[in-house]
Structures are given as C-alpha cells and as structure tokens.
Amino acid sequence: MAPNSGLLGILPARIAVPADAHSQLAARAYPEPPHPYRSPFARDAARILHARAFRRLAGKTQVFTRLPADPPGDHFRSRLTHTLEVAQISRTLARALGLNVELAEALALAHDIGHPPFGHAGEKALDRALQAHGLSFDHNLHALRIVTWFEERYPAFRGLNLTLALREGIVKHSRDYSAASHPELAEYFLDEFPPLEAQLIDLADEIAYLTSDLDDGLDSGILTLAEVRAAIPLFRGFHDAALQNYPAAAPRLVVYETLRNMLNALVTDLMNEVRIRVKALGAATLAEIRRAPQRLAALSPEMESARVEAKAFLYANLYNSPGMEEVHAHAGQVVLELFAAFMADPTLLPADHQAQIPTQGLARTVADYIAGMTDSYIEQLWDRCCNRQNV
Ligand code: MG
C-alpha cells in the first residue's frame, strides 16, 4: 500500500450530517434552544461523557472477564478505554473523510453504553433469562433505553434528550432492524441506512478491538507471539517489517510497532474503501448514502478477509480459549441466579427500579437493573443474594 494513500481528499460536503441545530437530524424529543457556540452533536457527546452509564463502562469487561494474568494487570482494556479508542479512530476517520467529526465522536462514545457486565457472556446470559419470559436482550436497544429514559440528569425531562442522529446511530449500530419486527423504532428511518458517521462506528469498533485484543492477549500471556504470527498474515507482515527496521528493539516494542502499523493500515483501508464506494455510486448527498444498495462503510475485500481471519483466530484462541470456559460459566451463573432472585422477590430491587414494574413488567425491569451493573457490583450483589451469605 502506498504510504500516503489515505490522504486522498474528502467526500462531497453534502454527504456529511450538517451541524445545523435546526436540521431534522439535530431534533430532540424535548425541544431546546440551540447553544450559542456548541454544535448539537458536541452537546450530545458531552451529555454521554457526563452520564452515569458512561462512567460505569470503567467497571465493565470489554472482552475478558477478570483477565487472568500473572501478575494481574490493571492496564488491560475496559469498555471505557475501548470506547475512548473507538472515539479516537472515529474522529480520525470522520475528519479525513470530511464528515461530521463531533457526531462521529458522540456516536463512538455511546456505542457500548448498553452492554451489561461480564462482556458477551453476561449479554448471552441476560438474553437467556429474558427468553424464558418471551423477551430478549439487545445491547443497542438497551442503549436507547439508557439515553432516552434511565439517565436522569435534567429536571425538565427523563433521559439525555439526544438528537435524532444520535438515537438513530445507537439503534443502527452493528445491525439493521426491520420496521415489521420493531414498530416502536419507526422514527429512525428503518428502511434506510444510517449516515456514514454512524456506519463508520461499527468498523472503528472492529478495528479497535482487533488490535487491542491482540495487544492484551499477548501481554497477558494467553496468546504467544509464535501462534499470532503463524495464524495472522497481516500481523506477520508488519512484524517482519518492524523486526527489520528495529533489529535491536525489545520484543514488546516490536509488537507495539506492529500493532500500530496494523491499526493504521486497517483505518487507511477503510477510509479508501469508503471513498471508492461513494465514488462508484456517484453519491453526493446524505440521501443517496441512505438509499444506497448496501452500507458504504466497509473494508476492501482483501482487508476484510484479513480481518475475518484474525477475528476467527481471536475467537478460538482468546475469547473462547480453554481457560475462559470457567470464567464464562461463572458470569452466566451470576447473571442467571441474580435474575432469578429478583424475579422471586422484587422487593430486593431498588425503589426507582420497582417503580418501573407496572409499565415495563418485572422481567424487563430486572434485566434493566442487571444490565446497568458493573462487573464488581454484580459480583457483590450475587454474593449477598445468592451465595448463601445473608447480609
Ligand atoms: Mg465496542
């Protein structure tokens, strides 16, 4: 790849979501006067940053639950630091493509806000618990509930009163819902793709965790350099180059150099592929992006297969590696037992959650409460409720 191939210019200006506070996408459920010097999406980003659910991301597992390491490390990614990495990548992408940087940043900050404790193991268990009541758990829809209802910071309304663009981006992060199955989401243009700012978040997320999980996986000793090199040609290529450029460097600095270059290559590829696809479509407006035959934010076919290959390796050797089974089983047990305990005795729920039962039903209320917990909070509560310690 040519070294500067990522600097090929911005997209047509009308593809970006306008920062105009009077535009449709800047509309809020409760109308508010425009701020004198902040764009509507800069305000959204600040509202997310100041939210309780955002701060709790610090205590939530990103991919690992209690990542085993000797000695234990506090420097492994949490959902909060992962989120900040996604925000950095999203800002870079949006700026280089001439998109709305503040919107991209706000969407990145919100993208994992709906995740329950214990990463995907926690999400799976919560979904299983809800299935028994004819419901399901979906972190995108839970994120929407957080920003439209659970966050209470304003006397005038519940929720954060985010713009339509933010709420649409949250709903459409990583998947597209059909209007037939989700009539309650009708206001979010379900038959259209989201703006590019929102489409990019999903890929920025993939790129961020691919490289950071290799980093944490190697650092923790769960992955070995030899197996990563053997299984991921993209890594091997950059690692060989780094070894050649820095023959005397410490091995871990060579790995950092490798991962940095890999991250840069993925981001540059994504940027270029978006440009190629927009150009091929001849799109010059947001409306054309929305009605394109497919999402336009994507990696090139070659890079996409390299990403899929690397992700498959991480699933087999890190996320679902033999040592993690016990950890996932514990996460599932904690979520399911706590869910059952609250179902059996709703008076164990805090008063503000109990107040939700008449409108949301008991099972949804219990799931909402559990989904908001950090890893350490749910462990403590489980100890008290279910682990035969009557406190
Ligand atoms: Mg994420």
Side-chain angles (χ1 to χ4, degrees):
M1 188 179 302
N4 286 329
S5 57
L7 307 172
L8 295 176
I10 59 171
L11 301 173
R14 286 167 62 218
I15 284 180
V17 171
D20 175 10
H22 301 287
S23 65
Q24 184 192 19
L25 285 173
R28 301 181 191 276
Y30 302 90
E32 295 180 51
H35 193 277
Y37 52 86
R38 294 158 71 214
S39 85
F41 308 118
R43 296 174 81 186
D44 282 347
R47 288 175 189 202
I48 294 157
L49 197 67
H50 290 271
R52 279 208 322 183
F54 185 80
R55 292 196 295 280
R56 287 201 197 120
L57 294 174
K60 293 197 182 197
T61 299
Q62 163 57 14
V63 174
F64 309 99
T65 306
R66 293 176 300 159
L67 183 60
D70 188 21
D74 282 341
H75 48 266
F76 297 119
R77 270 81 173 176
S78 67
R79 279 214 183 267
L80 180 62
T81 62
H82 159 73
T83 293
L84 297 176
E85 291 180 7
V86 175
Q88 181 268 319
I89 293 169
S90 302
R91 279 195 307 266
T92 300
L93 284 163
R95 190 169 292 119
L97 290 169
L99 297 169
N100 190 320
V101 177
E102 289 174 331
L103 172 59
E105 175 170 29
L107 288 167
L109 292 175
H111 92 278
D112 265 354
I113 211 165
H115 276 281
F118 297 145
H120 288 284
E123 186 172 9
K124 241 169 77 184
L126 203 50
D127 188 52
R128 223 177 90 198
L130 281 174
Q131 299 274 348
H133 301 273
L135 301 167
S136 62
F137 184 82
D138 176 303
H139 68 259
N140 292 341
L141 301 183
H142 186 68
L144 187 67
R145 291 162 65 73
I146 289 171
V147 301
T148 56
W149 186 256
F150 287 113
E151 284 291 328
E152 289 185 273
R153 306 189 60 84
Y154 298 86
F157 44 77
R158 280 193 73 129
L160 300 176
N161 201 27
L162 301 179
T163 61
L164 180 57
L166 249 289
R167 286 175 282 129
E168 182 196 4
I170 287 171
V171 167
K172 294 180 181 171
H173 171 61
S174 72
R175 62 170 288 193
D176 297 305
Y177 298 89
S178 77
S181 60
H182 290 278
E184 78 282 9
L185 302 176
E187 67 177 301
Y188 301 118
F189 320 102
L190 291 188
D191 51 347
E192 298 181 348
F193 291 116
L196 279 177
E197 288 87 346
Q199 293 188 31
L200 284 171
I201 305 302
D202 196 22
L203 277 301
D205 186 21
E206 294 275 349
I207 291 171
Y209 73 68
L210 186 64
T211 48
S212 65
D213 292 349
L214 284 171
D215 186 11
D216 286 351
L218 285 166
D219 198 16
S220 65
I222 298 177
L223 300 178
T224 67
L225 188 56
E227 66 182 341
V228 172
R229 278 182 55 90
I232 307 179
L234 184 64
F235 179 95
R236 187 168 65 242
F238 285 114
H239 193 247
D240 283 340
L243 284 170
Q244 207 171 7
N245 291 336
Y246 301 100
R252 55 196 284 260
L253 297 184
V254 177
V255 167
Y256 294 156
E257 180 71 8
T258 303
L259 292 173
R260 184 163 39 246
N261 288 329
M262 203 171 138
L263 175 61
N264 189 59
L266 284 157
V267 170
T268 306
D269 180 272
L270 169 57
M271 228 178 252
N272 288 334
E273 186 66 17
V274 173
R275 289 188 183 109
I276 289 166
R277 288 186 180 213
V278 169
K279 201 168 170 204
L281 190 71
T285 65
L286 173 54
E288 289 166 302
I289 299 293
R290 282 186 171 285
R291 291 181 202 127
Q294 56 181 346
R295 285 188 177 224
L296 297 176
L299 293 165
S300 67
E302 309 80 60
M303 197 59 105
E304 176 61 11
S305 56
R307 183 192 69 80
V308 168
E309 190 175 36
K311 192 169 174 174
F313 168 81
L314 285 172
Y315 264 96
N317 297 281
L318 192 61
Y319 312 147
N320 298 327
S321 61
M324 301 302 274
E325 281 160 4
E326 198 186 317
V327 169
H328 290 163
H330 172 75
Q333 184 189 357
V334 169
V335 169
L336 291 174
E337 289 187 7
L338 205 54
F339 188 93
F342 288 127
M343 291 300 292
D345 183 2
T347 64
L348 294 172
L349 292 165
D352 55 337
H353 284 272
Q354 286 186 43
Q356 303 294 320
I357 298 171
T359 51
Q360 304 298 320
L362 179 57
R364 177 63 67 192
T365 301
V366 169
D368 284 338
Y369 182 42
I370 290 177
M373 296 177 187
T374 60
D375 293 8
S376 62
Y377 188 86
I378 194 171
E379 288 275 12
Q380 282 177 43
L381 227 54
W382 177 69
D383 268 343
R384 278 195 230 166
C385 287
C386 317
N387 217 11
R388 292 175 288 279
Q389 288 178 24
N390 288 318
V391 179

